[in-house]
Amino acid sequence: MKDIALANQGKFNDPAVTAKGEPRATVALSDPQTLWFNTGTLCNIECANCYILSSPTNDALVYITADEVRDYLDQLETRQWGVREIAFTGGEPFMNPQMIEMTEAALERGYDVLILTNAMLPMMRKKMREGLLRLQAAYPDKLVLRISVDHYRHDLHDAERGAGALKKTIKGMEWLRDNGFTMAVAGRSVFEDTDADSRAGYAAFYAENGFNIDAQDPAITVLFPEMDESVEVPEITTACWSILDKSPDAVMCASSRMVVKRRGAERPAVLACTLLPYSPEFELGETLEEAERDVALNHPHCAKFCVLGGASCSA
């Protein structure tokens, strides 16, 4: 685990109990709906605040292959998880040379597919565009591309992603729009706008650019809370479910797992959470069977992002 900030010193040390000695909350894999694949941490850009530290040089998570994806799709059938969606994240997924093949492997088995992308140059390469067009024609309404638009204002988005970044993303979104792809958007709450103001701003941005994206639907325009470890957060105990009137089934690790391939590893590993790729205690094993065990909410992100923030990476 990364060093926890001083604000949370003494907390999140024991997976069984909190710093106060209370039983820590756990979450069972009660209704698996999404299996995530991290395609690799390499990205065409380096954002100011990237939870996974993606960059043009970070290959801590190496490119996963289509054959490795197919192996886990086989495991899904064997374990009968009932997953409806296969989702790909990075890094930038379209940096992975086998991205189209991996997407097709999931689509041809009947899964919905979600791809998280910045819609910039890697997606716009000829090979990727040709592959996407072929898949769109063969599997209409089964593929969603969720575009990273940190803010609808160019200056604020570019402050995170580099000068001219939003202009390049818009170009990719225009291509997706003109070719009939279904788009969603991932934004961020770091800018301290209210939810209503943010959604109004995104609605105006969509209208200005002719994007058929619902700004009011939180599953379509996803506004993620910030994962700031300098902020003190409470530990989640078993009593919190009734106090917060929330079910553990609503937390992301009740319905999803993520597969990653670490640099130097012989085989991929299955993680409890998409948000904690570098925390070894959230690595559950190499197989989906091993990953069926309960997850202890033993990290600040579990509290701030999932339980208290109510966010989910899935659609």
Side-chain angles (χ1 to χ4, degrees), residues 10-85:
K11 299 179 180 180
F12 306 103
N13 292 326
D14 188 323
V17 297
T18 69
K20 294 181 179 180
E22 299 171 293
R24 186 178 304 283
T26 62
V27 173
L29 184 67
S30 58
D31 184 24
Q33 290 293 304
T34 304
L35 182 61
W36 288 85
F37 290 93
N38 188 293
T39 61
T41 40
L42 286 174
C43 187
N44 56 303
I45 59 175
E46 186 170 2
C47 297
N49 295 286
C50 178
Y51 80 95
I52 203 169
L53 306 177
S54 297
S55 77
T57 59
N58 180 15
D59 64 346
L61 302 182
V62 298
Y63 289 149
I64 201 163
T65 69
D67 283 343
E68 288 166 338
V69 168
R70 291 188 188 98
D71 175 67
Y72 283 95
L73 297 180
D74 290 342
Q75 291 183 49
L76 278 180
E77 295 178 7
T78 299
R79 302 306 302 169
Q80 298 182 326
W81 274 19
V83 158
R84 62 172 182 82
E85 176 187 60

Side-chain angles (χ1 to χ4, degrees), residues 257-293:
R257 293 289 186 264
M258 182 170 76
V259 179
V260 305
K261 181 79 174 289
R262 301 195 188 282
R263 183 177 58 226
E266 291 185 14
R267 289 176 292 276
V270 187
L271 309 186
C273 179
T274 62
L275 307 176
L276 297 168
Y278 303 128
S279 298
E281 66 270 34
F282 289 90
E283 186 168 316
L284 303 177
E286 295 178 350
T287 68
L288 297 187
E289 182 177 8
E290 292 173 298
E292 290 173 352
R293 57 191 171 95

